[in-house]
Amino acid sequence: MAHPNGSGLANQALLNKIDKLRELNVKSIALPQLVVVGDQSSGKSSVLESLTGFSFPHAQGLCTRYATQISCRREKAKNVTISIIPRPDADDTTATRLRTFRRNVSDLSNDKLALIIQDANKFMGIRMDAHDDTPGLQTFSEDILKVEITGPEEQHLTVIDVPGIFYVPNPPLTTEADKQMVRGMVQSYMENSRTIILAILPANADIATQEILTMAKKADSDGVRTMGVLTKPDLVTEDASRDTIKDLILGRGKKLRLGYFIVKNRGADDRISTLDERIEEEKAFFHDPKWREIALVARCGIGPLKARLSDLLMDLTKKEFPNVKADVMKDLEESKGKLSGIGPSRAGQTAQRMFIGNLVSVFQDVTRCALSGTYDGHMVFEKIPDLKLITMIQKRNERFANDFWKKAHTRQLTSSSDSEEELLHSTTEESICPDPNTYPELHDIIEGDDYECPEPDPFSQVSLMEHIDRVYQSNRGAELGTFSGSILAITFKEQSKKWKPLVLAHVSQSISIVHDFIFKLLNYVCPDKQVRDQLWETMIVDELRKRYVLAMDHARFLLRTEREGIPSTYNHYFNAEVQKKRQARVNASLRSQAVEYHLSNKTSIDAIPTSSLSDTTVNKANADQVREDILDNLASYYKVSRKRFVDVICRQAIGHFLLEGEESPLKVLCSNLVHSIDTERLEMIAGEDGQTKDQRTMLELDIKNLEDAMKVLRG
C-alpha cells in the first residue's frame, strides 16, 4: 500500500510536476526538495542507499563529483533510468549533448552501475584519475546526475545528494579551489528556502563540532528546515556518548525543529546483504538493552525516517506549490521585459536603423506627455517621477518670478501704490534641481553655483533718494523742470544689477533639469548600455551643448536689451503707474494738512483747508520736484520692465529655446537623426556586441524554460 500522506492521484501528480520542473533546471526557481549533506566520511552514501535502494558502486571517484537527484516512484514495472540534467549556464551545444545521455536497466548490478557512472562522468568531463591530464577535464561538475527508480514497492520520494565536504585537498585530483567549490555548492543548495536539509552526522563524533551543522545554521538560522540524521551508532562505545545521542533523539538535547533520527549503516565489510536483511539487522541492533530506550520511538531506523521524509516532502510541496507557480509567472514576465528591453536581433543595417527608430519614437512619445503634463499617458512617470518635466519647469519659473518680485531690486521701492502687487506664486513648492556636478559636459555652459538672491535692504528708502540725487547732480543738463533719459537709464541699471546672476542661474537650472530629463529618459528607452553610450557620446551630447549655449546666449541678449540703453516702453500701464504715484504723494501731503471738522449731527470728519493746497502744489524746489519725478518714473518703469522681462525669459529662453522651439534640445533625438547616421557609425552605435548577443540567448533560453515550466504547472 502507498503511504497515507502520499496516496491519491492528486498528490502523485503534484510530486511529478515538481520532478518535471527540476528536470527543466530553471535556475531562478527554488523548488521543494530534500537535500542530503554531510562530510565525505559521515555515512551519507549508506543512508541514501537505505532510503532509495540505489547503491552507488564502490569505486573511487565514481559518485562524489556532482549532485545526484534520486527519485523513487511507485509503478508496476521495475526500472532504473539514469540521465544528466545540464547545469543552468551550459551552452546549447553542451546542454544538447548532455541530454542525449540516457541509460535504462531493469536489473541493476554493481558492475553495470559502475559502467554507467563511468560513461556519465565522461559525458560531464569528470577527471577519473589523478594522473589524467586531458585538457578540459574537471574534478567536480555542476551538472546533475538524475536517477529515476520505479517499482511496485516504491513510495514517492526525491532526494538530492551533493558531494561531501572535505577539509584537506588531495592534489592533483582535488585542489583548494575544488574544496571551496564543493562548499559553495553545498551551501547554495541549503540556502534554498524550500529545501529540507538532511544533515548526516556520525554518532561517534562530537555533534557540537560538526561543521555541517554550522553551515546548516547559516542557511537556516531558526533551524526550521534542518533534520539531523545520526549514523554509525555501532561505533559509539561509551555510555556518556550514548546518553547524549539518546537525549538528541528524544528531543532533550540541542533542538532542531525537525528533530534527530538515528539509523544503522551497512558494515564496512558488508557487500552482499540485501536491504531487507539490513532493516532486520537494524531493528535487532536498536532492541539491544543499550539502545532499547529509543527503540520504540518513531525516530529510530530507516523505515520511520523514510516515512517522515515522504510526509515532509509532500507537506512542503503542497504548501509551496502556489508560490512556485507565482515565482515562475513573475520570472517569465521579467525575462520577457528584459528581452523586450534589448530589442530584436540587430544583425543588419535595416534592423539597426529600425531599432534606433523605435527608441526615438518612444522617446518623443514620452517627451510629448512630459511637456503637456499628461502623465497618465505613460507608466514611466510612476517609475521615474523626475521625468515630469513641465511640472518641474513650472515650479522653477514660479520661484524665479517670486524672486524677481521680492528680491531682484537693489533698493527697496516702497510706496502705498504698490499694495495691489500680485501674490500669485507666494507659496509655490520648490522643485529639486539636479546636482550640476552630475553632468561635467555642462560645466562650461551653465552657472554651476545656485545663486541665492539677497533680500533688498528694507531701510534703504532714504539711500535710494540719495542715490537718485547723486546721479541727477552728476548728469543733469540744461533741462528745466525735467531730466534726461540717461538719468533714468543709469538709475534703472543700478536698480536691476541683480537681474543678471538671477537670470543666468535660472536658465542654468532649467538646462540642468532638461539635460537630466533627456539622460534619464534615454536610459529608460534604451537599456542597452553599449547603444546608449554610443548614441550619447557620438550623436547627442555635442548637439545638446550647442542648443544649451543658444539658450544661455539668448538670456544674455535679453539682459542686454532690457538693462542697457535708454529705457523704453509703449505700455500705457507705465503712465498710469506714474500718475498713481504722483497722486499718492499729493494725497499723503494733503492728509498731513487735514484738521478735524465737527458737523451739526455731532459727527466729525477730516477736512483740508483750502489755504493748504497752495503749499502742497507750489512750495517745492525745482530739484526736489525733479528727484521725485525720477523716483516715480524709476519705480513705474521698473515695475513694467520686471513683469515684461520675467515673461520674456520664461517664454523665450526657457519655453522656446529649451522646450518647444525647433532648436530645443528635446528634439535632438528625432527621426532626422536616424536617417543621418552613416553606415559605419550605424554599426558602431547599434551593432550588437558579444555580451548583448549572449544576454539575448540566455533570456530566450530562460523564457523557453519558464514557458515549459508554466505548461507543467498548468497541466
Side-chain angles (χ1 to χ4, degrees):
M1 288 182 62
H3 190 275
N5 200 30
S7 63
L9 294 177
N11 289 344
Q12 185 75 19
L14 199 61
L15 293 170
N16 287 339
K17 285 182 178 182
I18 295 299
D19 284 346
K20 289 180 180 178
L21 289 178
R22 190 173 288 108
E23 186 172 352
L24 291 173
N25 205 10
V26 182
K27 58 186 177 182
S28 60
I29 303 300
L31 298 175
Q33 60 189 10
L34 299 171
V35 173
V36 183
V37 296
D39 292 356
Q40 284 186 338
S41 59
S42 62
K44 187 158 60 73
S45 296
S46 179
V47 172
L48 280 166
E49 181 182 351
S50 298
L51 285 173
T52 64
F54 181 79
S55 177
F56 282 108
H58 302 284
Q60 186 178 7
L62 292 184
C63 57
T64 59
R65 306 306 181 193
Y66 36 76
T68 303
Q69 174 190 315
I70 308 172
S71 300
C72 302
R73 290 199 305 273
R74 177 179 285 107
E75 291 184 8
K76 293 181 179 179
K78 186 175 181 180
N79 190 63
V80 178
T81 303
I82 300 176
S83 57
I84 298 174
I85 301 174
R87 55 192 176 277
D89 60 351
D91 59 72
D92 288 343
T93 302
T94 302
T96 301
R97 182 179 60 81
L98 290 173
R99 287 194 180 97
T100 62
F101 181 88
R102 190 175 186 86
R103 303 289 188 270
N104 287 286
V105 291
S106 57
D107 183 17
L108 194 62
S109 66
N110 193 277
D111 291 339
K112 287 182 181 179
L113 181 57
L115 292 174
I116 293 174
I117 297 297
Q118 285 178 344
D119 288 345
N121 287 350
K122 290 177 182 178
F123 262 74
M124 287 186 267
I126 298 296
R127 180 179 291 107
M128 304 287 291
D129 187 279
H131 304 291
D132 189 347
D133 57 358
T134 304
L137 294 184
Q138 54 190 344
T139 305
F140 293 92
S141 173
E142 292 184 277
D143 299 321
I144 300 173
L145 186 71
K146 180 182 179 184
V147 180
E148 298 174 275
I149 304 171
T150 61
E153 302 299 325
E154 300 294 337
Q155 78 182 63
H156 200 122
L157 182 68
T158 298
V159 295
I160 310 292
D161 177 34
V162 293
I165 61 172
F166 59 95
Y167 305 97
V168 181
N170 182 26
L173 186 61
T174 58
T175 65
E176 182 66 28
D178 292 329
K179 169 186 168 183
Q180 297 304 324
M181 175 188 175
V182 169
R183 292 176 67 87
M185 183 192 303
V186 173
Q187 194 73 48
S188 67
Y189 272 95
M190 291 196 294
E191 285 175 351
N192 177 357
S193 63
R194 294 169 185 157
T195 290
I196 294 173
I197 303 168
L198 210 60
I200 309 301
L201 307 161
N204 60 329
D206 185 357
I207 302 300
T209 63
Q210 294 294 296
E211 188 171 1
I212 198 66
L213 283 182
T214 302
M215 295 176 68
K217 178 71 174 177
K218 182 178 178 182
D220 176 27
S221 57
D222 295 328
V224 296
R225 300 186 288 109
T226 304
M227 176 187 290
V229 178
L230 301 171
T231 63
K232 306 181 182 181
D234 50 316
L235 301 182
V236 179
T237 57
E238 298 179 355
D239 290 341
S241 299
R242 195 177 295 110
D243 290 341
T244 301
I245 298 300
K246 292 177 182 178
D247 287 342
L248 288 174
I249 300 302
L250 296 172
R252 295 197 292 254
K254 199 170 185 179
K255 292 185 178 180
L256 294 173
R257 185 72 62 87
L258 299 180
Y260 286 85
F261 277 73
I262 188 167
V263 297
K264 182 181 179 300
N265 303 69
R266 177 205 291 266
D269 298 324
D270 184 358
R271 294 288 187 270
I272 61 172
S273 64
T274 65
L275 179 58
D276 290 339
E277 289 172 344
R278 291 196 297 276
I279 290 175
E280 290 302 319
E281 182 185 347
E282 184 181 53
K283 289 180 180 178
F285 175 82
F286 285 116
H287 277 84
D288 185 276
K290 296 177 181 179
W291 294 98
R292 189 173 297 164
E293 184 180 355
I294 62 170
L296 300 178
V297 177
R299 290 182 170 272
C300 190
I302 200 67
L305 174 61
K306 188 171 183 178
R308 178 57 177 150
L309 291 179
S310 182
D311 287 347
L312 284 174
L313 184 60
M314 188 68 252
D315 292 343
L316 181 66
T317 301
K318 286 181 177 179
K319 175 186 174 185
E320 294 293 342
F321 190 81
N323 299 327
V324 170
K325 190 173 184 178
D327 286 351
V328 172
M329 294 177 65
K330 177 184 175 184
D331 283 10
L332 180 58
E333 290 302 314
E334 288 181 354
S335 295
K336 286 182 176 179
K338 290 177 182 177
L339 185 61
S340 175
I342 63 175
S345 177
R346 307 191 297 274
Q349 291 185 32
T350 302
Q352 292 167 358
R353 214 173 286 277
M354 185 178 297
F355 174 74
I356 297 179
N358 289 336
L359 296 183
V360 170
S361 178
V362 176
F363 185 94
Q364 289 300 331
D365 285 345
V366 176
T367 299
R368 280 191 288 271
C369 293
L371 286 176
S372 63
T374 53
Y375 302 132
D376 59 341
H378 206 287
M379 61 183 293
V380 67
F381 297 106
E382 293 183 12
K383 294 181 177 179
I384 314 174
D386 288 350
L387 295 185
K388 295 182 177 181
L389 179 61
I390 197 63
T391 299
M392 299 180 71
I393 292 293
Q394 286 291 86
K395 289 179 179 180
R396 278 282 152 182
N397 282 341
E398 290 175 355
R399 180 192 176 190
F400 173 68
N402 281 347
D403 285 347
F404 242 77
W405 163 41
K406 295 178 180 179
K407 304 178 183 180
H409 43 288
T410 304
R411 293 178 172 84
Q412 194 71 41
L413 287 167
T414 304
S415 170
S416 60
S417 64
D418 291 333
S419 59
E420 84 282 5
E421 187 66 78
E422 73 278 4
L423 298 172
L424 183 59
H425 310 309
S426 59
T427 58
T428 300
E429 178 187 353
E430 182 179 345
S431 65
I432 299 175
C433 188
D435 183 355
N437 295 320
T438 304
Y439 302 108
E441 61 268 23
L442 302 181
H443 286 179
D444 60 339
I445 298 176
I446 65 174
E447 301 291 327
D449 297 328
D450 188 7
Y451 175 69
E452 186 62 39
C453 187
E455 296 274 358
D457 185 356
F459 305 105
S460 63
Q461 181 68 20
V462 175
S463 298
L464 177 58
M465 187 59 79
E466 288 176 350
H467 171 70
I468 290 174
D469 184 59
R470 285 196 298 271
V471 173
Y472 173 66
Q473 295 298 340
S474 301
N475 297 276
R476 65 186 298 182
E479 304 91 356
L480 185 62
T482 61
F483 56 92
S484 69
S486 64
I487 293 177
L488 183 59
I490 293 170
T491 53
F492 175 75
K493 189 171 184 178
E494 200 277 341
Q495 184 70 354
S496 64
K497 66 183 181 181
K498 288 191 284 184
W499 285 19
K500 182 176 181 179
L502 195 56
V503 167
L504 295 183
H506 175 56
V507 178
S508 294
Q509 291 161 1
S510 300
I511 287 174
S512 294
I513 291 172
V514 170
H515 194 67
D516 186 65
F517 170 86
I518 294 171
F519 184 81
K520 288 179 177 176
L521 181 53
L522 183 62
N523 271 265
Y524 173 78
V525 302
C526 184
D528 190 319
K529 188 177 187 302
Q530 184 262 338
V531 176
R532 186 173 68 242
D533 289 348
Q534 287 293 330
L535 267 177
W536 184 258
E537 296 296 336
T538 65
M539 301 292 294
I540 296 178
V541 72
D542 287 341
E543 188 61 32
L544 289 178
R545 282 171 50 82
K546 294 176 185 177
R547 300 189 183 199
Y548 296 146
V549 168
L550 289 178
M552 292 296 287
D553 286 349
H554 189 71
R556 292 186 177 94
F557 165 77
L558 293 176
L559 281 166
R560 289 194 302 272
T561 302
E562 195 68 36
R563 295 186 65 241
E564 298 178 6
I566 302 300
S568 174
T569 181
Y570 300 97
N571 191 337
H572 66 84
Y573 182 70
F574 166 72
N575 184 61
E577 279 294 301
V578 171
Q579 298 304 322
K580 282 167 58 179
K581 291 182 184 302
R582 288 175 178 173
Q583 185 62 49
R585 185 173 287 106
V586 170
N587 291 344
S589 178
L590 290 174
R591 280 195 296 271
S592 67
Q593 303 293 327
V595 296
E596 187 177 12
Y597 180 75
H598 296 279
L599 301 177
S600 58
N601 58 0
K602 296 183 180 181
T603 61
S604 62
I605 61 172
D606 289 337
I608 301 173
T610 56
S611 59
S612 300
L613 297 178
S614 60
D615 295 335
T616 303
T617 58
V618 178
N619 296 335
K620 185 175 293 185
N622 288 341
D624 291 342
Q625 183 61 55
V626 171
R627 284 193 294 269
E628 287 183 355
D629 287 346
I630 294 173
L631 178 60
D632 290 344
N633 278 268
L634 174 62
S636 300
Y637 183 74
Y638 183 88
K639 190 172 184 179
V640 170
S641 176
R642 172 181 62 80
K643 291 186 174 184
R644 174 178 64 198
F645 185 66
V646 167
D647 280 349
V648 170
I649 288 292
C650 292
R651 285 295 303 125
Q652 294 185 20
I654 308 300
H656 177 78
F657 279 90
L658 291 182
L659 302 181
E660 300 166 357
E662 288 302 316
E663 297 300 313
S664 164
L666 297 174
K667 296 182 180 179
V668 166
L669 203 61
C670 62
S671 57
N672 290 337
L673 176 74
V674 181
H675 300 305
S676 69
I677 305 175
D678 57 56
T679 302
E680 183 178 351
R681 182 173 290 184
L682 182 65
E683 174 63 31
M684 182 177 65
I685 292 173
E688 286 189 332
D689 56 15
Q691 182 179 359
T692 303
K693 293 177 181 177
D694 291 344
Q695 184 183 11
R696 177 180 289 105
T697 300
M698 290 302 297
L699 284 170
E700 289 173 345
L701 179 60
D702 288 345
I703 290 171
K704 178 183 180 302
N705 288 339
L706 288 165
E707 287 176 340
D708 289 344
M710 285 305 303
K711 291 178 183 177
V712 171
L713 290 166
R714 290 168 175 163

